[in-house]
Amino acid sequence: MTSNKYYIILAALVCILLSCTGPVSAADIIVGEGLGNSTITAALANATNGDTIIVNDGTYTENINVATEVTIRSQNGSANTTIRASSSSDHVFDVQVDNVTISGFNITGATDDSPKAAIYLNNQMYCTISNNTLTGNSIGIYLYSSSNNTLTSNNASDNNGGIYLSSSSNYNTLTNNNVNYNDNTGIYLSSSSNNTLANNNANNNTYFGIYLYSSSNNTLANNNANDHDNTGISFDSSSNYNTLTSNNASDNNIGISLFSSSNNTLTSNNANNNNNQGISFEFSSNNALANNNANDNDNNGIFLYSSSNNTLTSNNASGNTRGIYLDSSSNYNTLTSNIAITNSQRGIYLDSSSNNTLTSNIANNNNNQGIYLYESSNYNTLTSNNASYNDYGIYLGSSISNNLTSNNANNNNNQGISLVSSCNYNTLTSNNANDNSGRGIYLESSSNNTLVNNNASDNYNGIQLDFSISNNLISNNANGNSNYGIYLYESISNNLTSNNVNDHPFLAIFLYSSSNNTLTSNNASDNTYGILFSSSSNNTLTSNNASYNTYGITLGSSISNHLTSNNASYNDYGIVLSESNNNTLTENTAIDNGIYALYALSSSNCIVDKLVLTDISTEISTVTDSSETGISGVETNATALSGKTNVNGYVTINRSEDLNVAFFYDDSNMSSSDESSVDLYMLSGSNWTEVNETSLNTTGNYVSANLSEFSTFGLFYVEDTPSSSSSGSSSSSGSSSGSVATRVLSQGTTTTLLTNNDGELIGDTVVKSSDAKTTLTLYKGTAGTDTSGNPVSKIIITTPASLPADTPAEVLDSGLYYDLGPSGTTFSKEVLITIDFDPKEYEGRNPTIYSYTPEGGWVALETTVDWENGRATAYINHFSLYALFGTDVEEVVEETSQVTTEVPTTVEKEEEEEIPVEDDNGSSYLYWILGVGIVLALGIVVVNKQKGEGGL
């Protein structure tokens, strides 16, 4: 009982004592000589959490372990209070707890390379380090696995390293620190993230100003990192998702460097005057650069090496050797609205880098190229960039499948846009390449490129292709260039379509030693030369306009070219052929040229087919040879031809050698009698004289002649002349269709063939008999030779005055027999013969075409019959006598059936006659004898009658 009372009394006394005691407050502990605590270590021994240790002026030599949550500050700042390590192999301040503040000291002497630091935090948080001067240490401030600390207004200079954060030192804030002249790195983050570095100066350190190694999500703003032997700000080894804003990294070897680091954002930083790169990315991807300045660096402003999917926007990379440089598979980057000007070599340079997008960049006033794609820089897209006032505007070398659209490459010293050394499959659309001192657009040894709607004007040459194959130039403008508009040099299989190439003092479109190119619907006007080929072959020109030039279309030393439906009008010379052979000109127009529509000199076997010479369809066809030839056309002539009307203008030919010419006309407003009176006349002095030995082809609508004299020629006809029988025909007393007695040799046609030097027809040719019932169709490329092997130049169709004795009577009555000559002519290709007949006259019989030779007699040909139109056709390969027989059949052959008949039983040799088989009553034999007798009697009558009329 007594014992219990004792404990009760004791507890009451304790309660009374506690109730009389107030709360314990933090104490200020003073350090100084004679002030009770001569060292900070001594003060810490007397301190508790929350105390403030105030250190008086002086120098204190000690290594301090801070194991209490205290504030340690100098009384009058770092200039007056120095803490020097008593052991250089230990930290001066070793902070071992959280919530410590160290402020206002000059701390030095931790020089061990282990390393040791002036202030060291190991796994501590919420500490504040401020206003300290840390010099002569291995490291000024070192945070190891320490987070959420604040380092402010410290001067960590002249150490080996300034401020180091390592091993997951995260969420720390570093502001307004000076970290200069350290032997290694100013501020160093290793494997530390989510830190904020702002307004720090990290200058003149030996290697790096600010260095991040495997550190992510840090924010760097308004820091200065200048004058380093290596890099101002460096991100290394997966330092990702960091943000750099308004930092200055100048006068270093490299301003800002990213190595194997991704998804960083760099905005409004300055990286100028560095010895190498301003901003450098190596093996780094998905970074964003915006509004940075990377100017006046000795090498590159912005450099990407094997770095992809980066975005560069509105950066300025000027005054460097190269402004922006993408090297070694830097792919899928986007460059937009950057400025890369006044660089000593190139504005924007891609080397072996593909699938990049360049949009609205300015790359002007660079000494070499504005934009340069080199060595397998493929599949890039360049849109709306400006590359002007450079040596070269946009330059592609050995790069394929790039797309250039709406770029400006103007006023460059050489080329505007260049594709050289196997730049293939690129597409250039709506680019401007104007006012360049060299070429607007230049392709060298490059193939399968497409140029559409580009403007290449006011250059030396507009568009030039050297040694280039299979390119497509479509709807480009190449106007007003001082030398050539479009120039192909030793280039083949290119396609030029709908280009405008006008207003050149010299040449619009020029092909030199270039073959198999196609030019279609181009406009080449107001030049000295519209289109000029020199030493070029197998090119095709179709529907081009080469007007209002001195020379419209000119071929010099060029062979086997094809010109079709081109317009070479209103020039001095329309089409010129000089030492150019085997060219083909088809349906071209050369109207109102001042001197000649066509001028040929030393140009053999050039086929001129339907050359239009006037607005009223004056057309001619001819084949040139080595003689000088000049041809022109006019619509009117002051000299009239009495009683005749001019058909369609006049043709003047100047030449000294014979020339085969076909003069074409339009028969749409002619009656048949008008057309039959068309003839060719030549102006001799003040009189028109009829040209001899001409041939009128009313099917082909032309008059052909072999001219030996030359002047002005015109086609004339007698208007509204009633139809009459052909000259030399006599009235018939027999059938209304005419008989052998009434048809004489003068009833014939002679047609001159238009052939090349090999005797081959230059086009399909149709020849009709005088009664228009027999037509011969000779196809292009057919060659005819006479019995002596000489080429045939004319075809004659006549009605023979006599027929072989074994000719059936119905043939004589029909009058459908013709002698084709020259007799014995053979052809390299089959000739189609067509004979028109009246189907009513052949009812019950097969119309069959026969040929006759003295050696073989009448021989049936395989004949095709068109009953509806009354037309029998067969193919022949030689000329002789031909006639239409009617052979007996049991049934009428259906329309358009093909019939092959045997030779009739009447043959030329009696001993070869086949005796018909006699039927039961012997009537067949009787009819056969009667038939032979009738034929022989009729033959004797006809022969006697023709003798009487002078036919034999």
Side-chain angles (χ1 to χ4, degrees):
M1 184 71 176
T2 304
S3 174
N4 291 336
K5 287 182 179 179
Y6 173 78
Y7 285 116
I8 293 170
I9 293 170
L10 181 60
L13 291 173
V14 170
C15 291
I16 293 169
L17 180 61
L18 290 174
S19 65
C20 295
T21 304
V24 178
S25 60
D28 289 342
I29 301 173
I30 307 301
V31 176
E33 191 67 33
L35 297 176
N37 297 289
S38 60
T39 65
I40 298 172
T41 300
L44 284 167
N46 297 317
T48 60
N49 290 342
D51 289 347
T52 298
I53 297 173
I54 302 172
V55 181
N56 278 351
D57 297 349
T59 299
Y60 300 85
T61 302
E62 55 183 316
N63 297 93
I64 303 161
N65 294 322
V66 182
T68 307
E69 297 180 2
V70 297
T71 297
I72 304 172
R73 66 177 177 83
S74 67
Q75 186 174 24
N76 295 306
S78 62
N80 299 295
T81 307
T82 299
I83 312 298
R84 179 175 290 114
S86 60
S87 172
S88 63
S89 61
D90 198 2
H91 307 295
V92 178
F93 281 94
D94 186 348
V95 178
Q96 300 171 355
V97 294
D98 300 338
N99 298 301
V100 171
T101 298
I102 299 173
S103 178
F105 296 100
N106 181 3
I107 305 171
T108 186
T111 58
D112 191 272
D113 291 337
S114 52
K116 299 303 178 180
I119 300 174
Y120 176 64
L121 278 67
N122 184 346
N123 199 27
Q124 308 308 322
M125 297 189 297
Y126 307 112
C127 296
T128 300
I129 312 298
S130 63
N131 296 298
N132 299 287
T133 298
L134 311 119
T135 60
N137 303 285
S138 178
I139 299 173
I141 301 172
Y142 187 5
L143 275 62
Y144 182 87
S145 298
S146 297
S147 301
N148 294 290
N149 300 288
T150 301
L151 283 66
T152 304
S153 300
N154 300 286
N155 185 355
S157 301
D158 294 300
N159 306 285
N160 185 41
I163 299 175
Y164 279 24
L165 281 67
S166 71
S167 303
S168 298
S169 291
N170 306 325
Y171 296 100
N172 298 288
T173 301
L174 284 69
T175 58
N176 296 302
N177 299 287
N178 289 318
V179 193
N180 306 319
Y181 295 103
N182 296 286
D183 292 338
N184 197 316
T185 300
I187 299 174
Y188 176 38
L189 277 64
S190 175
S191 301
S192 298
S193 301
N194 295 289
N195 298 286
T196 299
L197 285 67
N199 297 302
N200 300 287
N201 290 316
N203 302 319
N204 297 102
N205 302 284
T206 302
Y207 295 110
F208 302 97
I210 300 173
Y211 184 82
L212 276 65
Y213 181 88
S214 297
S215 297
S216 300
N217 293 294
N218 298 286
T219 300
L220 283 69
N222 296 299
N223 300 287
N224 290 316
N226 305 319
D227 296 294
H228 299 92
D229 291 344
N230 199 314
T231 304
I233 300 174
S234 179
F235 292 2
D236 193 1
S237 301
S238 298
S239 291
N240 306 326
Y241 296 100
N242 298 289
T243 300
L244 280 72
T245 305
S246 300
N247 299 284
N248 188 12
S250 301
D251 298 297
N252 308 284
N253 185 45
I254 299 173
I256 300 172
S257 173
L258 275 66
F259 185 90
S260 296
S261 297
S262 301
N263 295 289
N264 297 286
T265 301
L266 284 69
T267 306
S268 300
N269 300 285
N270 289 321
N272 304 321
N273 295 296
N274 297 285
N275 294 331
N276 201 339
Q277 273 79 249
I279 299 173
S280 175
F281 289 7
E282 295 184 61
F283 309 103
S284 297
S285 61
N286 295 295
N287 299 287
L289 282 73
N291 297 298
N292 299 284
N293 290 316
N295 302 321
D296 300 305
N297 299 285
D298 289 349
N299 199 347
N300 305 303
I302 299 174
F303 176 54
L304 277 64
Y305 182 89
S306 294
S307 297
S308 299
N309 293 293
N310 299 287
T311 302
L312 284 66
T313 306
S314 300
N315 300 286
N316 190 348
S318 301
N320 310 283
T321 299
R322 291 172 287 268
I324 300 174
Y325 182 15
L326 279 62
D327 189 17
S328 300
S329 298
S330 292
N331 305 326
Y332 296 100
N333 298 287
T334 301
L335 283 67
T336 306
S337 300
N338 299 286
I339 298 174
I341 62 175
T342 63
N343 297 285
S344 62
Q345 288 188 7
R346 302 168 182 117
I348 299 174
Y349 179 27
L350 278 64
D351 187 350
S352 303
S353 297
S354 300
N355 292 291
N356 298 286
T357 301
L358 283 67
T359 306
S360 300
N361 300 285
I362 298 174
N364 299 333
N365 297 106
N366 300 285
N367 285 352
N368 288 343
Q369 295 87 1
I371 299 174
Y372 185 22
L373 278 62
Y374 177 69
E375 196 64 39
S376 298
S377 290
N378 307 326
Y379 302 101
N380 298 288
T381 300
L382 283 67
T383 306
S384 300
N385 300 285
N386 192 353
S388 301
Y389 299 98
N390 308 285
D391 200 11
Y392 299 86
I394 299 174
Y395 192 99
L396 277 65
S398 303
S399 298
I400 67 170
S401 298
N402 297 285
N403 190 341
L404 283 67
T405 304
S406 300
N407 300 285
N408 289 321
N410 305 320
N411 296 105
N412 297 285
N413 293 328
N414 281 296
Q415 278 74 259
I417 300 175
S418 301
L419 280 66
V420 301
S421 300
S422 298
C423 278
N424 306 327
Y425 297 100
N426 299 286
T427 301
L428 282 67
T429 306
S430 300
N431 300 285
N432 289 317
N434 304 320
D435 297 294
N436 298 285
S437 299
R439 298 100 163 178
I441 300 174
Y442 177 55
L443 277 64
E444 183 265 320
S445 300
S446 298
S447 302
N448 294 289
N449 298 287
T450 300
L451 284 67
V452 180
N453 291 317
N454 299 286
N455 192 1
S457 300
D458 299 304
N459 308 283
Y460 180 68
N461 291 338
I463 300 174
Q464 180 171 336
L465 279 63
D466 289 356
F467 314 106
S468 295
I469 302 172
S470 299
N471 298 286
N472 291 306
L473 282 67
I474 303 170
S475 299
N476 300 286
N477 292 318
N479 301 318
N481 299 284
S482 61
N483 195 33
Y484 308 144
I486 298 177
Y487 176 33
L488 276 62
Y489 178 81
E490 294 193 13
S491 296
I492 64 173
S493 299
N494 298 286
N495 179 23
L496 283 67
T497 303
S498 300
N499 300 286
N500 289 316
V501 196
N502 306 315
D503 299 304
H504 296 89
F506 188 29
L507 239 168
I509 300 175
F510 181 28
L511 275 64
Y512 181 84
S513 193
S514 296
S515 302
N516 296 295
N517 299 286
T518 300
L519 283 70
T520 307
S521 299
N522 299 286
N523 188 16
S525 300
D526 295 301
N527 312 281
T528 299
Y529 288 89
I531 299 174
L532 172 62
F533 289 6
S534 178
S535 303
S536 297
S537 61
N538 292 297
N539 299 288
T540 300
L541 281 74
T542 306
S543 300
N544 299 283
N545 182 24
S547 301
Y548 298 100
N549 307 286
T550 303
Y551 301 91
I553 300 174
T554 303
L555 276 61
S557 301
S558 297
I559 63 172
S560 300
N561 298 286
H562 298 270
L563 284 68
T564 304
S565 300
N566 300 285
N567 187 4
S569 300
Y570 308 106
N571 308 284
D572 288 344
Y573 293 83
I575 300 174
V576 176
L577 307 173
S578 177
E579 297 182 355
S580 298
N581 303 324
N582 299 304
N583 298 287
T584 301
L585 287 69
T586 305
E587 296 183 353
N588 298 284
T589 299
I591 296 172
D592 218 0
N593 293 284
I595 300 175
Y596 288 120
L598 174 68
Y599 178 76
L601 177 65
S602 300
S603 298
S604 297
N605 201 33
C606 291
I607 299 170
V608 181
D609 184 22
K610 292 188 177 181
L611 176 64
V612 180
L613 302 175
T614 68
D615 283 324
I616 55 175
S617 301
T618 307
E619 297 180 16
I620 66 161
S621 292
T622 190
V623 179
T624 67
D625 56 22
S626 59
S627 297
E628 181 179 11
T629 304
I631 300 174
S632 59
V634 294
E635 296 180 13
T636 61
N637 190 279
T639 303
L641 178 58
S642 178
K644 292 183 179 291
T645 301
N646 178 253
V647 176
N648 59 348
Y650 304 87
V651 178
T652 298
I653 302 177
N654 290 326
R655 182 180 163 86
S656 59
E657 302 291 335
D658 291 359
L659 183 67
N660 284 322
V661 184
F663 298 81
F664 289 83
Y665 61 89
D666 182 2
D667 65 352
S668 58
N669 295 319
M670 290 184 180
S671 66
S672 59
S673 60
D674 289 343
E675 186 174 9
S676 65
S677 68
V678 172
D679 209 343
L680 179 66
Y681 287 79
M682 182 179 75
L683 186 63
S684 300
S686 59
N687 298 306
W688 291 100
T689 59
E690 184 176 355
V691 178
N692 296 322
E693 296 186 1
T694 63
S695 175
L696 172 63
N697 189 317
T698 58
T699 301
N701 292 344
Y702 64 84
V703 174
S704 58
N706 185 18
L707 303 176
S708 58
E709 297 181 88
F710 298 95
S711 178
T712 298
F713 298 87
L715 295 178
F716 292 87
Y717 71 101
V718 179
E719 194 168 3
D720 294 325
T721 301
S723 59
S724 59
S725 60
S726 299
S727 173
S729 63
S730 304
S731 60
S732 173
S733 58
S735 170
S736 61
S737 61
S739 67
V740 69
T742 61
R743 304 184 63 179
V744 296
L745 186 62
S746 60
Q747 290 180 276
T749 59
T750 301
T751 301
T752 300
L753 301 178
L754 297 179
T755 60
N756 58 27
N757 288 346
D758 296 325
E760 297 175 344
L761 290 172
I762 65 174
D764 294 347
T765 302
V766 176
V767 180
K768 285 186 176 292
S769 62
S770 59
D771 61 2
K773 291 185 177 182
T774 292
T775 303
L776 299 178
T777 303
L778 294 83
Y779 298 102
K780 180 179 179 180
T782 300
T785 54
D786 62 19
T787 54
S788 300
N790 299 315
V792 172
S793 61
K794 295 182 180 182
I795 288 178
I796 303 170
I797 303 178
T798 60
T799 303
S802 63
L803 290 173
D806 54 358
T807 303
E810 77 271 7
V811 175
L812 298 172
D813 291 337
S814 70
L816 299 178
Y817 47 90
Y818 302 90
D819 197 358
L820 308 184
S823 182
T825 296
T826 58
F827 295 92
S828 61
K829 295 182 180 181
E830 289 186 322
V831 176
L832 180 66
I833 181 171
T834 301
I835 300 179
D836 295 340
F837 63 91
D838 185 352
K840 294 180 181 180
E841 296 181 1
Y842 285 82
E843 290 181 0
R845 295 180 296 163
N846 280 334
T848 306
I849 298 176
Y850 278 73
S851 68
Y852 181 87
T853 61
E855 298 81 11
W858 288 107
V859 178
L861 306 180
E862 184 174 314
T863 304
T864 299
V865 179
D866 179 356
W867 284 98
E868 181 178 1
N869 296 299
R871 184 168 296 153
T873 57
Y875 284 99
I876 63 176
N877 57 19
H878 69 281
F879 276 176
S880 62
L881 178 63
Y882 288 85
L884 186 66
F885 286 30
T887 59
D888 294 332
V889 292
E890 294 181 359
E891 296 180 1
V892 177
V893 181
E894 294 295 330
E895 177 181 347
T896 319
S897 61
Q898 193 175 67
V899 180
T900 302
T901 60
E902 300 294 332
V903 179
T905 55
T906 55
V907 294
E908 68 277 16
K909 295 184 180 179
E910 184 176 354
E911 62 270 21
E912 295 179 0
E913 291 179 359
E914 180 180 344
I915 306 300
V917 178
E918 182 177 288
D919 59 13
D920 293 340
N921 57 19
S923 61
S924 295
Y925 187 78
L926 178 62
Y927 291 149
W928 178 78
I929 295 175
L930 180 61
V932 171
I934 292 172
V935 170
L936 291 175
L938 182 59
I940 293 170
V941 171
V942 171
V943 169
N944 289 335
K945 186 172 183 180
Q946 287 178 338
K947 284 183 177 181
E949 294 180 354
L952 291 176

